[in-house]
Amino acid sequence: MIETDVIVVGAGPAGSSAAKHAALGGAKVILMDKKSEIGAPKRCAEGVSIEGLEKLGIEPSPRWITKKIEGVRLQTPDGTDVWLTEDQVKLPEAGYILERKVFDKHMAMDAARAGAEIRIKTLVTGIDKIENGFIVETESMGKEETFKCKILIAADGPEGHIARWAGLRPAAKAKEMESGVQYEMCNVEFEKQGIIEFYLGSCAPGGYVWIFPKGDDIANVGLAILPHKAEKTAIEYLDDFVAKSPYLKNAQAVEINVGGDPVGGMTKKLYDDNILVCGDAAGQVNPLTGGGIISGMTGGMCAGKVAAQAIKEDCSKRYLKLYDEMAHEELDHEIKRYKKVQEYLLTLDDDELNSIAHAFEGESFEKISTTEIVKKLIKISPKALLKLGKFV
């Protein structure tokens, strides 16, 4: 049996963040991932904010940045565009489009450099709670191994099993799990370079379509829907959009990615004796945008820091409650208020979205951010004011 202080299951950004900070805190850490290549396949549109990276202390690297985000385009069903670009007002750079296959490896390497041991192609097949920790059963390349840890951190994504096996509720109910599908495409035409594009309304019920540029003619083109609000599958909606878009008439897909995205908010219980849950597995996702890289890494950072300290003091839920408090303090404000915005937008039909876009014409923006857009929405829409007046 291999003994360690902390085992982190899942080497996505949240898991690597947890492993890094637990190791920096002095814990002996093993980071496991079932995939043979960390970061592949990607299940993400790959956008992050500059502010988010700065808060996490991550220095941008040209190794994993494919494009700077220089503006936003929102399009409603009747073709009305709302542009947030420096054509209207001088705007700072909003963020970056990543290459997740490189970024995720970079984050895992950060964890390794902090002292964590990484085990790839290692599938967790079962866990057993013991008095002072967990027994973790794994299989790797036909070899079975048994591990013992004092704290288990579940960062195994929205469909992960670890938290469920430990008796904790999953992050999202079925009706709060978006179904997402995305092509990476070449020969994409852009009206303006460096602009991330969102298409709203019945083209993606309960969600939106996105085009995120990764190069002069390369982009992630995808969508997410809430299946209970849709009449077709996600791939059918995406193929319909691609067929109709003038910007994609010559585009060719070189990769397809599919997956679920939990947009119901954080799970009610993020911890128990000897276990913490972070990232998508904990619902640490922006319910409005579906983005979870920065929020998941923030949750992972909190989990890693608390785990390292708990190893020195107390690994029971009495102490690990501190992680729950830290995660909610860091993430609640964003997640809960954007959940309200998401619920409001779900009440709007195509005509109402068109009317809002028309009212946006002539508005100027101080910066590129979701918060700035929602503030303007409240300003121009009586219905939004009624529903979201306390947003800010």
Side-chain angles (χ1 to χ4, degrees):
M1 184 179 293
I2 302 165
E3 296 192 21
T4 190
D5 292 331
V6 177
I7 288 177
V8 181
V9 181
S16 290
S17 179
K20 171 185 174 180
H21 288 281
L24 287 174
K28 185 178 179 182
V29 181
I30 297 176
L31 173 61
M32 300 177 175
D33 198 284
K34 66 183 179 182
K35 299 186 292 295
S36 56
E37 180 184 1
I38 290 173
K42 70 185 180 195
R43 295 171 65 181
C44 175
E46 303 183 290
V48 295
S49 68
I50 290 176
E51 182 182 5
L53 291 176
E54 289 176 346
K55 286 182 68 175
L56 290 164
I58 298 172
E59 190 72 27
S61 167
R63 289 183 58 242
W64 41 259
I65 292 172
T66 66
K67 199 77 171 176
K68 292 181 180 179
I69 300 172
E70 298 175 358
V72 177
R73 175 194 199 178
L74 303 171
Q75 186 175 106
T76 51
D78 68 354
T80 301
D81 286 325
V82 176
W83 295 89
L84 285 76
T85 70
E86 60 182 16
D87 294 345
Q88 298 169 298
V89 60
K90 187 64 179 175
L91 296 166
E93 293 173 354
Y96 304 109
I97 305 299
L98 308 179
E99 184 58 73
R100 280 287 302 271
K101 294 172 185 176
V102 181
F103 177 77
D104 285 20
K105 288 191 188 77
H106 179 87
M107 293 299 107
M109 290 174 186
D110 262 6
R113 293 183 180 112
E117 176 187 345
I118 298 176
R119 298 222 172 192
I120 55 174
K121 196 68 173 174
T122 299
L123 174 68
V124 175
T125 57
I127 62 173
D128 288 302
K129 181 72 181 71
I130 56 176
E131 183 178 354
N132 58 346
F134 277 90
I135 300 296
V136 179
E137 303 288 346
T138 71
E139 188 274 328
S140 177
M141 305 291 286
K143 180 182 178 182
E144 296 181 354
E145 289 185 305
T146 301
F147 297 78
K148 179 182 177 182
C149 65
K150 297 174 184 176
I151 293 179
L152 181 60
I153 299 180
D156 51 338
E159 302 97 354
H161 302 296
I162 302 300
R164 188 176 291 105
W165 286 345
L168 298 174
R169 292 181 180 180
K173 299 174 184 176
K175 66 182 298 184
E176 294 177 325
M177 180 73 78
E178 287 186 337
S179 177
V181 60
Q182 172 179 267
Y183 293 127
E184 183 170 333
M185 308 187 85
C186 65
N187 294 340
V188 178
E189 299 173 21
F190 301 105
E191 193 162 328
K192 298 179 182 180
Q193 284 288 337
I195 306 297
I196 57 174
E197 303 181 11
F198 300 90
Y199 297 81
L200 310 176
S202 55
C203 59
Y208 58 86
V209 178
W210 63 81
I211 300 179
F212 280 18
K214 296 185 69 174
D216 291 341
D217 72 338
I218 302 169
N220 289 326
V221 180
L223 58 74
I225 62 171
L226 287 173
H228 69 280
K229 290 189 169 291
E231 298 177 352
K232 300 179 290 188
T233 64
I235 187 67
E236 288 173 324
Y237 279 105
L238 181 56
D239 285 342
D240 284 350
F241 177 84
V242 170
K244 295 173 184 176
S245 172
Y247 304 101
L248 304 173
K249 60 181 183 293
N250 297 315
Q252 296 286 327
V254 296
E255 182 175 333
I256 185 171
N257 313 111
V258 297
D261 196 4
V263 292
M266 271 195 285
T267 185
K268 290 183 179 179
K269 195 167 185 183
L270 304 174
Y271 70 100
D272 206 338
D273 289 330
N274 309 94
I275 187 168
L276 303 172
V277 190
C278 64
D280 283 6
Q284 292 169 341
V285 173
N286 183 318
L288 178 60
T289 67
I293 297 175
I294 299 298
S295 52
M297 292 184 73
T298 301
M301 177 178 66
C302 295
K305 288 181 175 181
V306 170
Q309 194 60 34
I311 294 298
K312 303 169 187 174
E313 301 192 30
D314 178 9
C315 297
S316 75
K317 60 186 176 184
R318 289 189 300 275
Y319 189 89
L320 295 182
K321 187 176 187 293
L322 176 60
Y323 163 62
D324 184 85
E325 295 169 353
M326 287 177 63
H328 281 285
E329 182 178 350
E330 288 287 339
L331 299 171
D332 257 3
H333 180 62
E334 294 290 299
I335 289 178
K336 287 186 174 179
R337 66 179 185 163
Y338 285 126
K339 180 63 178 171
K340 292 180 180 178
V341 179
Q342 181 218 30
E343 291 170 349
Y344 161 71
L345 290 176
L346 288 175
T347 69
L348 303 179
D349 59 24
D350 283 1
D351 289 340
E352 289 173 305
L353 287 169
N354 293 333
S355 296
I356 289 171
H358 300 160
F360 261 107
E361 292 177 335
E363 290 287 333
S364 61
F365 297 85
E366 295 179 6
K367 60 180 180 177
I368 302 172
S369 73
T370 310
T371 299
E372 180 74 5
I373 294 171
V374 175
K375 286 180 181 178
K376 294 292 184 183
L377 177 63
I378 293 170
K379 176 183 174 183
I380 65 175
S381 169
K383 185 176 179 181
L385 176 62
L386 181 64
K387 296 285 186 179
L388 306 172
K390 296 183 180 180
F391 177 80
V392 294

